[in-house]
Each structure stands twice: as C-alpha cells, then as structure tokens.
Amino acid sequence: VAFKEHMFYAGMSANKQELVFSVPFDEDNFSIAIGAGSIRVDDTITGLKVFRDNLFIFCENRIFKLSGTSSSDFAITAVTRDIGCINGDTIQEFAGDLIFLGPDGLRTVAGTARIGDVELGTISSNVQSLFDDNLNNAGEFESVVIPDKTQYRIFFSKAGEAQGTTEGVICVMKGQGFEFSKLKGIKPSATDTFISSGDVIVLHGDFANGFIYRQESGNDFDGTIINGKYRSPDLTFGDAGIRKHMQRVIVNYEPESSIDADLFLRYDYESRDAVQPSAYPLDSEDVAAIYGTTTYGTSSSVKGTYGGTSRPLFRQSVEGSGFAVALRVNDGGSTAPYSLKGFQVEYQIGARR
C-alpha cells in the first residue's frame, strides 16, 4: 500500500513478520541510504490499510498502527495485542471506520473524537451463527464495499463447493447500528469497487470460469430470477394471552418501478392448528416517474407514472385472528428492487385464553 510517499510491502514467505518500505516516490528502490527501510512486528502480518493518517498493520493476533512521515520518524504502536485479523482481503474502509474479519466475526477500528485514540468493537455478535458456520471451513475470503448503499459484503469460498451454494454476508449501516443478511450464489476470486462519472461499479471475478461480473446491475442474477422474502418478528402487541382479530394492514414501501409480490399474514408462530389466510396481492404500478431514469410507456423496463408517489402506502383489508401475528412478503424476482419502510396493523381485541 502507499503511505506518506512510500510503498509498504508485507507477507513475504521468508519473513511474514516484516514490513518493508521503499524510498519516497520510487516503489522499486529499497536503498536504506536514501529513505527505505524495514520494520519487524512480533506476529504474522495478514493485511495493511491506511486510515486517518496512520498505516494500520493487521496481524493474526495483534493490530498495530504506524505514524510519521519518513524513515527518520516512523513510529509503531500497538492498537491491541488480543485481537487480530483472519484475512487481509476482508479489510475495508466502511462508513468512516475500518472493518475486518476477526476470529469472532466482524469488527471495526473506529476513530474516536480524541485524536490518535481508537476503539475496537464487535458488530456481528447478533448474527454470530452466520460466521461460525463459515469461518472454520472457508479457504478464501473476499470483501467489497458499495458506498452508495453504505453496504459491506463478505464472501466465504470453500474448496469443492459449488457456486450456487457458496454463502456470504451483507452488512448495512442503519443509523448508529448495523443490519445483516445472507448472500448465496456468488463465489468470487477477486472483488473491486470504483466510481466512473458518478456511477458506482461493483465487480467480481468468477472463481471457476474466469469471467468478470458486475453486481448491482439489472433485476436478475445472470439470467436467473432472484426470489426475495421478508418476514417480520412475531408480534403479540404487549399481551400474548389476548386474541387479536386483524382488520387491515398498511405497508409503506419505496419501489424503483412497478412491483408484483404477495403479502401473507401468519398467526400463532405459523402453527398448523391456526387458520392461515391465503396470500394478498402486493402490487403497484402507480409509481413516481424519475426524470433521467424512467421511460414513459408500457414497453419500458423502468415504468413510472407522472404524479405518482415515490413511497406509496399499500392498504389491504385482511382476515383471521391469533394471539401472535407476523407479516411475510414473497417476491418472485420479476420486478425491480424495492425496500419495505414499515407497516401498520389495525385489529380488534378478542377474548383472553
């Protein structure tokens, strides 16, 4: 990596604890007399990343940071001697922090208000099972950041595993917290993100056939329909002992185009003893047209309506009752992306069991 006009190198097979840097402005010149040098740490180096005027040195069991501007004043200090980074390909700058894969999941090295101070935090403890299932068996790790979505993606590639069953994890920053989801079907050998004329381009190289694919483009998965599912928590509305008779559901969502999905109500934790109503169509074609993106006319793949709303409310009368209720949305993958912003349910109180 480049840091303070020097190029820094690590990971040499002969000495995995050594960090070597070139002379200023010459990446191939390692003459000590004119500014090159080397630094040793007491652990195997797994990755390097520049962050906030410091070079962070990630090791298997430790993390260091290098400050200074030249060989005369370079100084190395320990960030932690208790936590390390499993693989350097998982280190990314994400939402103003450094994120990396530690032995217990995803962690951040977050700059605090006090200059020169840092704090390390675990962010994936709520979904630890997603990482436990993959850390021990994965042979390759890749990661990529989608900046316009404040999204970090990590992929776990296992020897002999087909691409269709290869898993990954999406981490999204929401407010001051993080949300996670599971990826399936991408087995990258390399990943990268760059911005061209304001367009964020996310690429990955295929592990098997050598092709380069672009993510975040189109509404299918290389010609295969993407099935989408959402399920809310089971809601008891403060009292699991009172039956609720559902009257109406109001869903707020933000589509990019017209959608075609199904809404389900599931009672009493989807018990077989509870009557579960059939699907309700969650459809909309009255979506706001966006200048520069939408093409008017039914033949366009990006449809829109002049005067349509950008965040429509879907109101649906429903039936059924239960002591707990959950909402589920199933999408067949034939429509453009959309996000569910929230929902409201109207019900009447029944008898206590």
Side-chain angles (χ1 to χ4, degrees):
V1 298
F3 178 67
K4 302 298 182 182
E5 288 80 47
H6 299 261
M7 287 297 296
F8 283 76
Y9 304 88
M12 287 75 72
S13 58
N15 193 343
K16 296 183 178 181
Q17 299 176 338
E18 186 176 25
L19 180 66
V20 178
F21 58 91
S22 69
V23 304
F25 304 105
D26 192 345
E27 62 185 19
D28 297 323
N29 191 336
F30 300 98
S31 173
I32 297 176
I34 54 176
S38 64
I39 300 171
R40 287 179 60 88
V41 295
D42 59 352
D43 196 10
T44 299
I45 298 174
T46 57
L48 304 173
K49 192 70 173 180
V50 177
F51 181 62
R52 296 190 180 180
D53 291 327
N54 294 286
L55 175 63
F56 281 79
I57 305 162
F58 292 85
C59 304
E60 289 182 344
N61 303 292
R62 297 169 175 81
I63 301 174
F64 303 90
K65 68 175 180 177
L66 181 75
S67 58
T69 59
S70 67
S71 59
S72 62
D73 66 351
F74 280 144
I76 189 168
T77 56
V79 175
T80 177
R81 302 185 68 85
D82 300 318
I83 293 292
C85 174
I86 288 179
N87 188 285
D89 290 329
T90 66
I91 306 168
Q92 298 284 354
E93 185 169 351
F94 173 62
D97 293 338
L98 285 185
I99 188 171
F100 65 96
L101 182 63
D104 55 352
L106 291 179
R107 285 181 167 268
T108 60
V109 178
T112 64
R114 293 170 295 186
I115 297 175
D117 192 15
V118 295
E119 60 180 359
L120 274 77
T122 303
I123 64 173
S124 61
S125 56
N126 291 337
V127 290
Q128 190 62 39
S129 61
L130 292 179
F131 293 90
D132 292 341
D133 293 341
N134 291 286
L135 281 176
N136 295 331
N137 300 321
E140 300 283 344
F141 300 89
E142 289 293 337
S143 65
V144 69
V145 170
I146 296 87
D148 57 336
K149 291 187 173 182
T150 322
Q151 189 177 112
Y152 170 90
R153 297 177 181 176
I154 183 170
F155 305 92
F156 309 101
S157 297
K158 303 173 184 176
E161 184 172 35
Q163 176 171 291
T165 57
T166 299
E167 294 184 345
V169 174
I170 296 177
C171 172
V172 183
M173 188 171 187
K174 294 289 188 180
Q176 299 300 314
F178 297 91
E179 296 179 358
F180 295 87
S181 60
K182 182 187 290 187
L183 272 171
K184 201 169 186 179
I186 299 178
K187 189 177 183 180
S189 59
T191 56
D192 197 13
T193 302
F194 64 94
I195 300 176
S196 176
S197 301
D199 186 18
V200 177
I201 298 176
V202 184
L203 303 174
H204 76 266
D206 188 81
F207 208 91
N209 58 29
F211 293 158
I212 297 176
Y213 292 93
R214 180 177 179 181
Q215 302 179 23
E216 304 300 300
S217 178
N219 298 328
D220 55 33
F221 194 81
D222 192 28
T224 302
I225 290 177
I226 303 172
N227 294 317
K229 294 182 179 181
Y230 165 80
R231 189 187 188 281
S232 76
D234 292 282
L235 306 172
T236 61
F237 306 100
D239 193 334
I242 293 181
R243 180 175 293 277
K244 295 88 179 175
H245 299 275
M246 295 298 151
Q247 304 293 313
R248 187 164 68 162
V249 173
I250 302 174
V251 178
N252 179 217
Y253 62 98
E254 184 176 8
E256 294 182 7
S257 183
S258 57
I259 70 171
D260 183 9
D262 292 321
L263 172 70
F264 296 85
L265 264 68
R266 287 297 174 256
Y267 295 106
D268 297 342
Y269 311 97
E270 304 202 34
S271 169
R272 289 179 296 178
D273 297 328
V275 177
Q276 311 293 351
S278 301
Y280 302 98
L282 177 57
D283 305 331
S284 178
E285 296 185 356
D286 188 21
V287 179
I290 301 175
Y291 286 100
T293 301
T294 304
T295 302
Y296 294 108
T298 56
S299 62
S300 169
S301 61
V302 184
K303 300 177 183 178
T305 301
Y306 185 81
T309 177
S310 60
R311 292 190 178 184
L313 290 175
F314 169 80
R315 297 176 172 86
Q316 176 66 53
S317 298
V318 296
E319 58 187 355
S321 66
F323 299 98
V325 63
L327 267 68
R328 197 174 75 198
V329 175
N330 288 1
D331 187 284
S334 59
T335 59
Y338 57 92
S339 58
L340 301 175
K341 298 300 182 181
F343 63 87
Q344 173 184 330
V345 294
E346 299 177 359
Y347 63 92
Q348 291 182 345
I349 294 177
R352 180 176 293 277
R353 60 179 168 184

